């Protein structure tokens, strides 16, 4: 498992809308230039702690729009361009997201292997259309398939999940909020806490004390009942 740091700030201390997106992009660029940081990505929630489990209308082309009460639980996650690299989630087919997957660009989505298998058992998911969000829902073209990953517990079975670019969520799905960032570090995550806090506070004026969680400590809390 790659060393990971996640940190959050109080939502009330952050800007909203486009200003929040600009802040997230600026912080990602700053941290990726910080010695000891391998990759960075904005996220909606920290892994295993309030993980984003949004349910919105979802349909395949030619199929009725599905509703939560009628269909399997299919959560989605906002993802920045380096989301999969930061979390070391392998891309099995196609691609992940890039800076080109911005607001106004052709809408795209990435699905995990479980979703590709369950929704498109007769063929590859790549190039297929998912209609996501408010009616009339726009088409999000599936451009990648990634390995299954756990979302809420370490022992859960693989379940369907899909991802949409953070920049393409506000106009059709819901108004996103990015109070957290994930960083992959070159060495032990615990050793980067002080440097990350300094960079964060230097980047955002009047920011309250940010909460920073080395991922090994998050996993340790999950394992505590077993131990």
């Amino acid at each position: 498992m790659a060393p990971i740091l996640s940190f959050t700030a109080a939502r009330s201390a952050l800007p909203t809308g486009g200003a929040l997106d600009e802040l997230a992009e600026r912080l990602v660029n700053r941290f990726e230039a910080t010695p000891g940081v391998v990759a960075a990505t904005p996220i909606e929630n920290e892994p295993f702690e309030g993980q984003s489990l949004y349910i919105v209308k979802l349909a395949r082309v030619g199929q009725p729009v599905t509703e939560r009460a009628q269909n399997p639980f299919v959560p989605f996650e906002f993802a920045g361009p380096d989301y999969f690299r930061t979390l070391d989630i392998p891309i099995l087919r196609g691609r992940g997201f890039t800076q080109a997957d911005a607001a106004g660009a052709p809408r795209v989505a990435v699905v995990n292997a479980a979703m590709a298998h369950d929704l498109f058992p007769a063929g590859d998911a790549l190039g297929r259309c998912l209609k996501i969000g408010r009616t009339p829902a726009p088409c999000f073209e599936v451009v990648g398939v990634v390995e299954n990953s756990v979302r809420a517990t370490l022992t859960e079975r693989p379940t369907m999940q899909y991802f949409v670019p953070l920049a393409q969520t506000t106009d059709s799905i819901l108004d996103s909020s990015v109070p957290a960032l994930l960083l992959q570090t070159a060495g032990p995550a615990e050793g980067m806490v002080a440097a990350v806090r300094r960079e964060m506070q230097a980047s955002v004026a009047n920011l309250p004390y940010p909460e920073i969680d080395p991922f090994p400590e998050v996993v340790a809390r999950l394992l505590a009942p077993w131990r």
Side-chain angles (χ1 to χ4, degrees), residues 41-56 74-80 83-84 87 89 97 108-112 115 132 140 149-152 160-169 173-174 176-180 182:
T41 186
I43 57 171
E44 168 68 15
N45 287 292
E46 295 179 86
F48 302 111
E49 298 189 6
Q51 183 75 1
S52 179
L53 297 176
Y54 291 112
I55 300 296
V56 297
V74 185
F76 78 86
E77 181 64 80
F78 305 138
Y83 179 89
F84 303 110
L87 285 173
I89 298 176
F97 301 133
V108 294
V110 168
V111 302
N112 71 353
M115 188 167 177
I132 306 169
F140 286 72
S149 57
V150 295
R151 296 176 291 102
M160 292 193 292
Q161 185 179 22
Y162 63 101
F163 307 84
V164 291
L166 184 66
Q168 296 184 355
T169 60
I173 301 177
L174 47 80
S176 59
S177 176
V178 191
L182 282 183

Side-chain angles (χ1 to χ4, degrees), residues 141-190:
E141 180 184 350
V142 177
V143 296
V145 179
V146 297
E147 185 59 84
N148 298 324
S149 57
V150 295
R151 296 176 291 102
T153 70
L154 294 175
T155 57
E156 67 188 41
R157 294 181 179 180
T159 58
M160 292 193 292
Q161 185 179 22
Y162 63 101
F163 307 84
V164 291
L166 184 66
Q168 296 184 355
T169 60
T170 55
D171 58 347
S172 64
I173 301 177
L174 47 80
D175 292 331
S176 59
S177 176
V178 191
L181 293 180
L182 282 183
L183 307 179
Q184 183 183 140
T185 61
E190 296 88 341

Side-chain angles (χ1 to χ4, degrees), residues 60 115-125 128:
R60 290 165 287 174
M115 188 167 177
H117 177 270
D118 291 348
L119 288 190
F120 308 104
D124 198 345
R128 301 298 186 93

Side-chain angles (χ1 to χ4, degrees), residues 61-82:
V61 169
Q63 299 283 340
V65 173
T66 65
E67 301 289 349
R68 180 173 183 175
Q70 301 172 339
N71 294 275
F73 180 66
V74 185
F76 78 86
E77 181 64 80
F78 305 138
D82 276 340

